[in-house]
Amino acid sequence: MKFLIKLIFTLAAVGILSCSSDKICSDSTPSPSVAVEFYKDTINKKTGKHDVFKYTLPDTLTVQGVGTDSIVVKPERNLQRVLLPPNIMTDNCTYVFTIYKLNPKSGVREMTKDELKFTYERKSQFVSHECGFKFDFLNTTFEATENRFDSLETLQKDITNEGQTALRIYFK
Amino acid sequence: MHSTRGWAQDTSSVRIKKDTVSYLLPKALTLGIDISYPIRYAFNKDEKVFEVVADFRFNNNWYAAVEAGYADASQENSYISYNTKGGYLKLGANRNLIKFQKASNNSVYAGARAVISVLNTDVYNYTINQKDWPGDVSGSFTDNSTVYSLELLLGIKVELLKNFFTGWSIRGGFPIVNKATTDGYENLYIPGLGFKKNFMFNFNYTLSYMLPMGKAKSKTGTVENVK
């Protein structure tokens, strides 16, 4: 009987605690971004083979979406990976990469621009009671201009988790 | 060797069990209504529930038990707002845990239920926000779903006046079949179990009336089990 009373009170206490757990959403914008990594593909002069490696861009990079004032990547040097959220209002969006390179001979900062376009299908997906729904982006395709960019390699067509790199940009 | 033999002797001398219950309770049907949900509704308008209960006593220890109800619950936050309506039926058994010296209709029991909840959910608004582009997306949908759950409970039933009872039970609900519906939406409210949580605690408080089928009989002498 004593054991039973203890059990009843323990269960009641656990229950009351579990009742008062009004959680708050920790990520109010849960839709995944496209994780973009910078790479370089050169031909090794000694061996004559391709040499692919992660490329840390030494120049100052700014990334901004076309049609928004918000700057996604603020001017920064030595970037190797950036996260670019697709626009959830439309089925495509374009980012402008503005790169300032210091010319060591003349001492002048030279600017180049490249555009990267995402085209995708939006699929709403339940996250939790606290955060509601997010969008996943399916069948994503990437197009880009080739000023500083050399080429693109798509690793993920379905963007559901920004922890996984979706796109490699090879730099010239 | 010595220690092994000693242990064996000890257990054999302790193994004497006495069953002192000397009465046999009649079969009885008890019908009742939950009054906790109306009281809870006075404090929390999120959840409206009506529940009736019944049990049938087969003997001193075993009862078949049933609860049936209808629930209407809503919740709102910045990201999702919904209303769920639906009925539920709980079928199971109670096992009396306490042996009283004299014939008594009171009981302290443990029980289990299989629960079926049939529900209709109206997610009347959800909003997806984004930070680096202007604009948010809103939507809505409705869904039908059937949830199967297991419920474990502990309860107590006390005879206040002749054949009139008041009862408490505390319950833990465990959804077994609870399929995600539109876009992976998981039922956030399950009629009969409550709002979705890691541990779905619930309770009820009932008033009920018993219809006994006969009177308590005494057994012929006491039963002793000696092993």
Side-chain angles (χ1 to χ4, degrees), chain A residues 10-150:
Chain A
T10 310
L11 279 175
V14 168
I16 288 159
L17 286 176
S18 71
C19 280
S20 60
S21 59
D22 248 356
K23 291 177 198 158
I24 291 168
C25 182
S26 60
D27 180 6
S28 61
T29 57
S31 303
S33 294
V34 174
V36 179
E37 280 199 88
F38 302 155
Y39 272 76
K40 205 151 189 169
D41 183 358
T42 56
I43 292 175
N44 192 314
K45 282 169 188 167
K46 286 177 189 167
T47 60
K49 286 178 183 169
H50 279 278
D51 201 357
V52 177
F53 55 91
K54 287 188 178 185
Y55 180 58
T56 304
L57 189 69
D59 313 319
T60 306
L61 173 67
T62 309
V63 184
Q64 188 171 12
V66 175
T68 174
D69 296 332
S70 164
I71 297 168
V72 177
V73 178
K74 304 213 159 52
E76 202 173 333
R77 290 169 65 185
N78 300 323
L79 288 171
Q80 196 272 319
R81 187 173 190 270
V82 292
L83 292 173
L84 307 177
N87 187 348
I88 66 169
M89 299 288 283
T90 56
D91 286 329
N92 64 71
C93 66
T94 303
Y95 279 103
V96 178
F97 286 62
T98 307
I99 301 165
Y100 282 98
K101 186 182 185 179
L102 187 69
N103 188 322
K105 287 175 190 165
S106 62
V108 176
R109 273 155 53 95
E110 295 168 351
M111 186 191 75
T112 49
K113 283 194 177 188
D114 269 305
E115 287 194 0
L116 174 64
K117 186 182 181 187
F118 305 161
T119 307
Y120 42 84
E121 292 161 20
R122 288 166 293 160
K123 170 91 175 66
S124 56
Q125 176 64 39
F126 183 69
V127 178
S128 65
H129 177 224
E130 297 80 48
C131 301
F133 286 81
K134 66 169 181 168
F135 274 116
D136 285 335
F137 308 98
L138 307 181
N139 292 317
T140 312
T141 55
F142 303 100
E143 294 169 74
T145 57
E146 293 174 355
N147 296 318
R148 281 295 300 280
F149 296 173
D150 183 57

Side-chain angles (χ1 to χ4, degrees), chain B residues 103-116:
Chain B
S104 169
N105 287 321
N106 297 339
S107 66
V108 175
Y109 57 89
R113 303 282 186 276
V115 186
I116 178 169

